[in-house]
Each structure stands twice: as C-alpha cells, then as structure tokens.
Amino acid sequence: MIELVCASANPDKAAEMAEVLEGRAVLLPRPDGAGEVVEDADSLEGNALLKARAVCDFAGAAALADDTGLEVDALGGAPGVRSARYAGSGASYADNLARLLEEMHYFEMPQRTARFRTVAAVCFPDGASVSAEGVVEGLVLAEPRGTGGFGYDPVFAPDEAGGLTFAEMAPAAKNAVSHRARALRALLAMLEKPSVP
Ligand code: IMP
C-alpha cells in the first residue's frame, strides 16, 4: 500500500485525511522537528505544495498536504486562501468564524452561497509532485449549529446534506461529500494508476 507522510500540522485535518485514506494508503505521522511552514503562496495549490515539499525534504519520503479555502460568493470569494487567518495571524477557529458571521451580517438567503475548495498535493523525494482538487457547494448559515468537525463547519451546510451543517454530520457523512475527501480520492486515483513503462 502507498505510504505517505502527513505534512499537515493540523490534527483535525490529519484525522479526516487518515479516515479517507484508510485501506488505500497509510498515513504516517508528521515528523517531530519538521518545523512550521510559512504558507505565503497566493493559491491553495501553491500552499499545499509548499507544505508537502518541506515535509518530503525533511523526511526523505513522499509527503501529503492539503490546503483549503472557504469561498463565499457575497464576499467576492473571501476568505479563500486566507481562511486560516481571516481574523488575523494567529486567529483561532472561533475568531475566524466570528469574523465571517460579522461580514455576512447583511446578506440573506439566497445570497449566502459558498463552497469549500481543497487542493491536496503529494511531493516525492525525486522532485516530482501531483495535486488534485475537491469542491463542495453549500450555504453559510447565520448561526452556528452542531459540535462536530472543526473550523467553519458549524456554519456550512453542504447542498448534498439535506440542511445539516458539517458540524451536525458524523465524520463518515462529512467524508462522503467533503471537499477534502473529494480531493484525496482524486489524488489516490492518480497515485494508484499503473505508470506507463
Ligand atoms: P489551511 O488549509 O491550513 O490553510 O486552513 C484553512 C482554514 O480553513 C482552517 O484553519 C480552518 O479554519 C478552515 N478549514 C479547513 N478545512 C476545513 C473543513 O473541512 N471544515 C471547516 N473549516 C475548514
């Protein structure tokens, strides 16, 4: 089975990644001492590659990273690639969620459409890399609901979940439709394809 070193330092993401990869790839823990990666690229793909490359070079083995953004139509696609630091550098999940709800205050349905987009990337020790994208469309609710998931999950209701937020869904139900799971499954399909001799 494919072995990938986890390049994400976020335990919430790593747990979801491990669940989605289960049975198809082994996710090895992020090595201690890999250091923090400055995510200063201007795209999700750029940041995913920065993280995967740094950990691949440190570990000397194939490494997997994801970078995710919430794109809100009424906010011109914000917070997007800045989702982790929407309320400032070092902002908590709660800080970012509060800023989002504040910015969305004047928008009613159906102007609250949004999507999560993830780019997942694997970098290899020989310098090669592959990446794949996953998207889920949904709505940003005015009030948080649910206790599961993380980040913006309590206010994001995917179109395919009958009105539930990601935070109200069991992990397996989130993984059935989520941006991250879609990106990872697309990436696995690429990695599992037999290479042309
Ligand atoms: P990054 O991909 O590490 O830059 O993280 C982007 C930010 O988006 C995180 O800090 C979370 O706040 C949020 N985020 C990422 N993935 C999810 C998700 O699956 N659900 C809700 N929020 C997420």
Side-chain angles (χ1 to χ4, degrees):
M1 210 178 322
I2 308 162
E3 287 193 350
L4 300 169
V5 178
C6 181
S8 176
N10 177 331
D12 295 313
K13 278 189 184 184
E16 287 190 4
M17 285 174 166
E19 257 195 65
V20 174
L21 297 181
E22 203 182 339
R24 292 176 75 180
V26 177
L27 190 65
L28 303 171
R30 190 177 196 272
D32 288 337
E36 208 180 310
V37 178
V38 181
E39 298 179 35
D40 57 2
D42 58 6
S43 67
L44 297 176
E45 185 183 29
N47 281 331
L49 286 169
L50 277 177
K51 289 183 268 191
R53 176 50 58 199
V55 171
C56 171
D57 289 348
F58 182 85
L64 166 69
D66 102 27
D67 203 60
T68 296
L70 175 65
E71 301 170 353
V72 180
D73 293 321
L75 303 178
V81 72
R82 299 195 66 256
S83 293
R85 44 191 191 282
Y86 194 38
S89 67
S92 66
Y93 289 155
D95 296 335
N96 288 329
L97 192 64
R99 163 124 199 242
L100 178 68
L101 292 183
E102 200 181 302
E103 299 285 338
M104 296 291 291
H105 189 69
Y106 294 104
F107 297 103
E108 308 273 350
M109 297 298 179
Q111 288 177 290
R112 300 182 69 103
T113 53
R115 69 206 52 78
F116 271 116
R117 188 184 304 277
T118 289
V119 175
V122 173
C123 287
F124 299 93
D126 68 359
S129 63
V130 285
S131 62
E133 187 177 274
V135 174
V136 61
E137 300 283 339
L139 294 170
V140 175
L141 306 188
E143 299 282 344
R145 285 202 332 241
T147 54
F150 67 99
Y152 300 99
D153 279 350
V155 294
F156 185 82
D159 290 345
E160 295 149 270
L164 295 179
T165 67
F166 268 152
E168 293 177 308
M169 296 163 70
K174 179 180 176 186
N175 289 337
V177 298
S178 86
H179 46 301
R180 175 164 300 103
R182 284 176 172 158
L184 290 172
R185 286 194 280 265
L187 197 59
L188 281 170
M190 294 162 80
L191 294 173
E192 289 167 351
K193 228 194 282 180
S195 53
V196 181

Coordinates of all heavy atoms in Angstrom, one line a residue, residues 91-155:
A91 N -5.2 33.7 14.5 CA -6.6 33.7 14.8 C -7.0 32.2 15.1 O -6.6 31.3 14.4 CB -7.4 34.3 13.7
S92 N -7.9 32.1 16.0 CA -8.5 30.7 16.4 C -9.7 30.4 15.4 O -10.2 31.3 14.7 CB -9.0 30.7 17.8 OG -10.1 31.6 17.9
Y93 N -10.1 29.2 15.4 CA -11.3 28.8 14.6 C -12.5 29.8 15.0 O -13.2 30.3 14.2 CB -11.8 27.4 15.0 CG -10.9 26.3 14.5 CD1 -10.9 25.0 15.1 CD2 -10.1 26.4 13.3 CE1 -10.2 24.0 14.7 CE2 -9.3 25.3 12.9 CZ -9.4 24.1 13.5 OH -8.6 23.0 13.1
A94 N -12.6 30.0 16.3 CA -13.8 30.8 16.8 C -13.6 32.3 16.3 O -14.6 32.9 15.9 CB -13.8 30.8 18.3
D95 N -12.4 32.8 16.3 CA -12.2 34.2 15.8 C -12.6 34.3 14.3 O -13.2 35.3 13.9 CB -10.7 34.6 15.9 CG -10.2 34.6 17.3 OD1 -11.0 34.8 18.3 OD2 -8.9 34.4 17.5
N96 N -12.1 33.3 13.5 CA -12.4 33.4 12.1 C -13.9 33.2 11.8 O -14.4 33.9 10.9 CB -11.6 32.2 11.4 CG -10.1 32.5 11.3 OD1 -9.7 33.7 11.3 ND2 -9.3 31.5 11.4
L97 N -14.5 32.3 12.6 CA -16.0 32.1 12.4 C -16.7 33.4 12.8 O -17.7 33.8 12.0 CB -16.4 31.0 13.3 CG -17.8 30.4 13.1 CD1 -17.9 29.8 11.7 CD2 -18.1 29.3 14.2
A98 N -16.3 34.1 13.8 CA -17.0 35.3 14.3 C -16.8 36.4 13.2 O -17.8 37.1 12.9 CB -16.4 35.8 15.6
R99 N -15.6 36.5 12.6 CA -15.4 37.5 11.6 C -16.3 37.2 10.4 O -16.9 38.1 9.8 CB -13.9 37.5 11.2 CG -13.7 38.2 9.8 CD -12.8 39.4 9.9 NE -12.9 40.3 8.7 CZ -12.0 40.5 7.8 NH1 -10.8 40.0 7.9 NH2 -12.3 41.3 6.8
L100 N -16.4 35.9 10.0 CA -17.2 35.5 8.8 C -18.7 35.9 9.1 O -19.3 36.5 8.2 CB -17.1 34.0 8.6 CG -17.9 33.5 7.4 CD1 -17.4 34.0 6.1 CD2 -18.0 32.0 7.4
L101 N -19.2 35.6 10.3 CA -20.6 35.9 10.5 C -20.8 37.4 10.5 O -21.9 37.9 10.1 CB -21.0 35.3 11.8 CG -21.1 33.7 11.8 CD1 -21.6 33.2 13.1 CD2 -22.0 33.2 10.6
E102 N -19.9 38.2 11.0 CA -20.0 39.6 11.0 C -20.0 40.2 9.6 O -20.9 41.0 9.2 CB -18.7 40.1 11.7 CG -18.8 41.5 12.3 CD -17.5 41.9 12.9 OE1 -17.1 41.1 13.8 OE2 -16.8 42.8 12.5
E103 N -19.1 39.7 8.7 CA -19.1 40.1 7.3 C -20.3 39.8 6.6 O -20.7 40.4 5.6 CB -17.8 39.5 6.6 CG -16.5 39.8 7.2 CD -16.0 41.3 6.8 OE1 -16.6 41.8 5.9 OE2 -15.2 41.8 7.6
M104 N -21.0 38.6 7.0 CA -22.1 38.1 6.3 C -23.4 38.7 6.8 O -24.5 38.4 6.3 CB -22.2 36.6 6.4 CG -21.0 35.8 5.8 SD -21.1 35.9 4.0 CE -22.5 34.9 3.7
H105 N -23.3 39.5 7.8 CA -24.5 40.0 8.6 C -25.6 40.5 7.7 O -26.8 40.3 7.9 CB -24.1 41.1 9.6 CG -25.1 41.5 10.5 ND1 -25.6 40.6 11.5 CD2 -25.8 42.6 10.6 CE1 -26.5 41.3 12.2 NE2 -26.7 42.5 11.6
Y106 N -25.3 41.3 6.7 CA -26.3 41.9 5.9 C -26.8 41.1 4.7 O -27.7 41.5 4.0 CB -25.8 43.3 5.3 CG -25.6 44.2 6.4 CD1 -24.3 44.5 6.9 CD2 -26.6 44.9 7.1 CE1 -24.0 45.4 7.9 CE2 -26.4 45.7 8.2 CZ -25.1 46.0 8.6 OH -24.9 46.8 9.6
F107 N -26.3 39.9 4.6 CA -26.7 39.1 3.4 C -27.7 38.0 3.9 O -27.5 37.3 4.9 CB -25.5 38.4 2.8 CG -24.5 39.3 2.2 CD1 -23.3 39.6 2.9 CD2 -24.8 39.9 1.0 CE1 -22.4 40.5 2.3 CE2 -23.9 40.8 0.4 CZ -22.7 41.1 1.1
E108 N -28.8 38.0 3.1 CA -29.9 37.0 3.4 C -29.8 35.8 2.4 O -29.2 36.0 1.4 CB -31.3 37.6 3.2 CG -31.5 38.9 3.9 CD -32.1 38.7 5.3 OE1 -32.4 37.5 5.6 OE2 -32.1 39.6 6.1
M109 N -30.4 34.7 2.7 CA -30.5 33.7 1.7 C -31.3 34.3 0.5 O -32.2 35.1 0.9 CB -31.3 32.4 2.2 CG -30.6 31.7 3.3 SD -29.0 31.1 2.8 CE -28.5 30.3 4.4
P110 N -31.1 34.0 -0.7 CA -30.1 33.0 -1.3 C -28.8 33.6 -1.6 O -28.1 33.1 -2.4 CB -30.9 32.6 -2.5 CG -31.5 33.8 -3.0 CD -31.9 34.7 -1.8
Q111 N -28.4 34.7 -0.9 CA -27.1 35.4 -1.2 C -26.0 34.8 -0.4 O -24.9 35.4 -0.3 CB -27.2 36.9 -0.9 CG -28.0 37.7 -1.9 CD -28.1 39.1 -1.4 OE1 -28.7 39.4 -0.4 NE2 -27.4 39.9 -2.1
R112 N -26.2 33.7 0.3 CA -25.2 33.1 1.2 C -24.5 31.9 0.7 O -24.1 31.0 1.4 CB -25.8 32.9 2.6 CG -26.4 34.2 3.2 CD -27.0 34.0 4.6 NE -25.9 33.7 5.6 CZ -25.5 34.5 6.5 NH1 -25.9 35.8 6.5 NH2 -24.6 34.2 7.3
T113 N -24.5 31.8 -0.7 CA -23.9 30.6 -1.3 C -22.3 30.7 -1.1 O -21.7 31.8 -1.1 CB -24.2 30.6 -2.8 OG1 -23.9 31.8 -3.4 CG2 -25.7 30.3 -3.0
A114 N -21.8 29.5 -1.0 CA -20.3 29.4 -0.8 C -19.9 28.0 -1.2 O -20.7 27.1 -1.4 CB -20.0 29.6 0.7
R115 N -18.5 27.8 -1.2 CA -18.0 26.5 -1.4 C -16.7 26.3 -0.6 O -16.0 27.3 -0.5 CB -17.8 26.2 -2.9 CG -16.7 26.9 -3.6 CD -16.9 27.1 -5.0 NE -18.2 27.6 -5.3 CZ -18.6 28.9 -5.2 NH1 -17.7 29.8 -4.8 NH2 -19.8 29.3 -5.5
F116 N -16.4 25.1 -0.2 CA -15.1 24.7 0.3 C -14.3 24.2 -0.9 O -14.9 23.3 -1.7 CB -15.2 23.6 1.4 CG -15.3 24.2 2.8 CD1 -16.5 23.9 3.5 CD2 -14.3 24.9 3.4 CE1 -16.6 24.3 4.8 CE2 -14.5 25.4 4.7 CZ -15.6 25.1 5.4
R117 N -13.1 24.6 -1.0 CA -12.2 24.0 -2.0 C -10.9 23.6 -1.4 O -10.4 24.3 -0.6 CB -11.9 25.1 -3.1 CG -11.1 24.6 -4.3 CD -10.8 25.8 -5.2 NE -11.9 26.6 -5.6 CZ -12.7 26.3 -6.6 NH1 -12.5 25.2 -7.4 NH2 -13.8 27.1 -7.0
T118 N -10.5 22.4 -1.7 CA -9.3 21.8 -1.2 C -8.4 21.4 -2.3 O -8.9 20.8 -3.3 CB -9.5 20.5 -0.3 OG1 -10.1 20.9 0.9 CG2 -8.2 19.8 0.0
V119 N -7.1 21.8 -2.2 CA -6.1 21.1 -3.1 C -5.3 20.3 -2.3 O -4.7 20.7 -1.3 CB -5.3 22.2 -3.9 CG1 -4.2 21.5 -4.7 CG2 -6.2 23.0 -4.8
A120 N -5.2 19.0 -2.6 CA -4.3 18.0 -1.9 C -3.1 17.7 -2.9 O -3.3 17.6 -4.1 CB -5.1 16.7 -1.6
A121 N -1.9 17.7 -2.2 CA -0.7 17.5 -3.1 C 0.2 16.5 -2.4 O 0.3 16.4 -1.2 CB 0.0 18.8 -3.2
V122 N 0.8 15.7 -3.2 CA 1.9 14.8 -2.8 C 3.2 15.2 -3.4 O 3.2 15.4 -4.7 CB 1.6 13.3 -3.1 CG1 2.8 12.4 -2.7 CG2 0.3 12.9 -2.3
C123 N 4.3 15.3 -2.7 CA 5.6 15.6 -3.2 C 6.5 14.4 -3.0 O 6.4 13.7 -1.9 CB 6.2 16.8 -2.6 SG 5.5 18.4 -3.1
F124 N 7.3 14.0 -3.9 CA 8.2 12.9 -3.9 C 9.6 13.3 -3.7 O 10.0 14.4 -4.2 CB 8.0 12.0 -5.1 CG 6.6 11.5 -5.3 CD1 5.7 12.3 -6.1 CD2 6.2 10.3 -4.7 CE1 4.4 11.8 -6.2 CE2 4.9 9.9 -4.9 CZ 4.0 10.6 -5.6
P125 N 10.5 12.4 -3.1 CA 11.9 12.8 -3.0 C 12.6 13.1 -4.3 O 13.6 13.8 -4.3 CB 12.5 11.5 -2.3 CG 11.3 10.9 -1.6 CD 10.1 11.2 -2.4
D126 N 12.1 12.5 -5.4 CA 12.9 12.8 -6.7 C 12.5 14.2 -7.3 O 12.9 14.5 -8.4 CB 12.6 11.7 -7.7 CG 11.2 11.6 -8.2 OD1 10.3 12.5 -7.7 OD2 10.8 10.8 -9.0
G127 N 11.7 14.9 -6.6 CA 11.3 16.3 -7.1 C 9.9 16.3 -7.7 O 9.4 17.4 -8.0
A128 N 9.4 15.2 -8.0 CA 8.1 15.1 -8.7 C 7.0 15.5 -7.7 O 7.1 15.4 -6.5 CB 7.8 13.8 -9.3
S129 N 5.8 15.9 -8.2 CA 4.6 16.2 -7.4 C 3.4 15.9 -8.2 O 3.4 16.0 -9.4 CB 4.7 17.6 -6.8 OG 4.6 18.5 -7.9
V130 N 2.3 15.6 -7.4 CA 1.0 15.6 -8.1 C 0.0 16.3 -7.2 O 0.2 16.4 -5.9 CB 0.4 14.1 -8.3 CG1 1.1 13.4 -9.4 CG2 0.6 13.3 -7.0
S131 N -1.1 16.9 -7.8 CA -2.1 17.5 -6.9 C -3.5 17.3 -7.5 O -3.6 17.0 -8.7 CB -1.8 19.0 -6.8 OG -1.8 19.6 -8.1
A132 N -4.5 17.4 -6.7 CA -5.9 17.3 -7.2 C -6.8 18.2 -6.3 O -6.4 18.5 -5.2 CB -6.3 15.8 -7.0
E133 N -7.9 18.5 -6.9 CA -8.8 19.5 -6.2 C -10.1 18.8 -5.9 O -10.6 17.9 -6.6 CB -9.1 20.6 -7.2 CG -9.8 21.8 -6.6 CD -10.0 22.9 -7.6 OE1 -9.1 23.7 -7.7 OE2 -11.0 23.0 -8.3
G134 N -10.7 19.3 -4.8 CA -12.1 18.8 -4.4 C -12.9 20.0 -4.0 O -12.4 20.9 -3.3
V135 N -14.2 20.0 -4.4 CA -15.1 21.1 -4.1 C -16.4 20.6 -3.5 O -16.9 19.6 -4.0 CB -15.3 22.0 -5.4 CG1 -16.3 23.1 -5.1 CG2 -14.0 22.5 -5.9
V136 N -17.0 21.4 -2.6 CA -18.3 21.1 -2.1 C -19.1 22.4 -2.0 O -18.6 23.4 -1.4 CB -18.4 20.3 -0.8 CG1 -17.8 21.0 0.3 CG2 -19.8 19.9 -0.5
E137 N -20.2 22.4 -2.7 CA -21.1 23.7 -2.7 C -22.0 23.7 -1.5 O -22.5 22.6 -1.1 CB -21.9 23.7 -4.0 CG -21.1 23.7 -5.3 CD -20.5 25.1 -5.6 OE1 -20.9 26.1 -5.1 OE2 -19.5 25.1 -6.4
G138 N -22.3 24.8 -1.0 CA -23.3 24.9 0.1 C -23.7 26.3 0.5 O -23.5 27.2 -0.3
L139 N -24.2 26.5 1.7 CA -24.7 27.8 2.2 C -24.0 28.1 3.5 O -23.7 27.2 4.3 CB -26.2 27.7 2.4 CG -27.1 27.6 1.2 CD1 -28.5 27.3 1.6 CD2 -27.0 28.8 0.3
V140 N -23.7 29.4 3.8 CA -23.2 29.8 5.1 C -24.4 30.2 5.9 O -25.2 31.2 5.5 CB -22.3 31.0 4.9 CG1 -21.8 31.5 6.3 CG2 -21.0 30.6 4.1
L141 N -24.7 29.5 7.0 CA -25.8 29.9 7.9 C -25.5 31.1 8.7 O -24.3 31.4 8.9 CB -26.1 28.7 8.8 CG -26.4 27.3 8.1 CD1 -26.9 26.3 9.0 CD2 -27.4 27.5 6.9
A142 N -26.5 31.7 9.3 CA -26.3 32.9 10.1 C -26.0 32.5 11.5 O -25.4 33.3 12.3 CB -27.6 33.7 10.1
E143 N -26.3 31.3 12.0 CA -26.0 30.9 13.3 C -25.3 29.5 13.3 O -25.7 28.6 12.6 CB -27.3 30.6 14.1 CG -28.2 31.8 14.3 CD -27.7 32.8 15.3 OE1 -26.8 32.4 16.2 OE2 -28.1 33.9 15.3
P144 N -24.2 29.3 14.1 CA -23.5 28.0 14.2 C -24.5 26.9 14.7 O -25.3 27.2 15.5 CB -22.4 28.3 15.2 CG -22.3 29.7 15.4 CD -23.6 30.3 15.0
R145 N -24.3 25.8 14.1 CA -25.1 24.6 14.5 C -24.2 23.3 14.5 O -23.5 23.1 13.6 CB -26.3 24.3 13.6 CG -27.4 25.3 13.8 CD -28.7 24.7 13.3 NE -28.6 23.8 12.2 CZ -29.1 23.9 11.0 NH1 -29.8 25.0 10.7 NH2 -28.9 23.0 10.1
G146 N -24.2 22.6 15.6 CA -23.5 21.3 15.7 C -22.2 21.4 16.4 O -21.6 22.5 16.6
T147 N -21.7 20.3 16.8 CA -20.4 20.3 17.6 C -19.3 19.4 17.0 O -18.2 19.3 17.5 CB -20.7 19.7 19.0 OG1 -21.3 18.4 18.9 CG2 -21.6 20.6 19.8
G148 N -19.6 18.8 15.9 CA -18.5 18.0 15.2 C -17.7 18.9 14.3 O -17.8 20.1 14.3
G149 N -16.7 18.2 13.7 CA -15.9 18.9 12.7 C -15.0 19.9 13.3 O -14.7 19.9 14.5
F150 N -14.7 20.9 12.5 CA -13.8 22.0 13.0 C -13.9 23.2 12.1 O -14.6 23.2 11.1 CB -12.3 21.5 13.0 CG -11.7 21.2 11.7 CD1 -10.9 22.1 11.1 CD2 -12.0 20.0 11.0 CE1 -10.3 21.8 9.8 CE2 -11.5 19.7 9.8 CZ -10.6 20.6 9.2
G151 N -13.2 24.3 12.5 CA -13.1 25.5 11.6 C -14.5 26.1 11.3 O -15.3 26.3 12.3
Y152 N -14.9 26.2 10.1 CA -16.1 26.9 9.7 C -17.3 25.8 9.6 O -18.4 26.2 9.2 CB -16.0 27.5 8.3 CG -14.9 28.6 8.3 CD1 -13.6 28.4 7.8 CD2 -15.2 29.9 8.7 CE1 -12.7 29.4 7.7 CE2 -14.2 30.9 8.7 CZ -13.0 30.6 8.2 OH -12.0 31.6 8.2
D153 N -17.0 24.6 10.0 CA -18.1 23.5 9.9 C -19.4 23.9 10.5 O -20.5 23.5 9.9 CB -17.6 22.2 10.5 CG -16.6 21.4 9.5 OD1 -16.6 21.8 8.3 OD2 -16.0 20.4 9.9
P154 N -19.5 24.6 11.7 CA -20.8 24.8 12.3 C -21.7 25.8 11.5 O -22.9 25.8 11.7 CB -20.4 25.5 13.6 CG -19.0 25.0 13.9 CD -18.4 24.9 12.6
V155 N -21.1 26.5 10.5 CA -22.0 27.4 9.7 C -22.1 27.0 8.2 O -22.7 27.7 7.5 CB -21.5 28.9 9.8 CG1 -21.7 29.4 11.2 CG2 -20.1 29.1 9.3

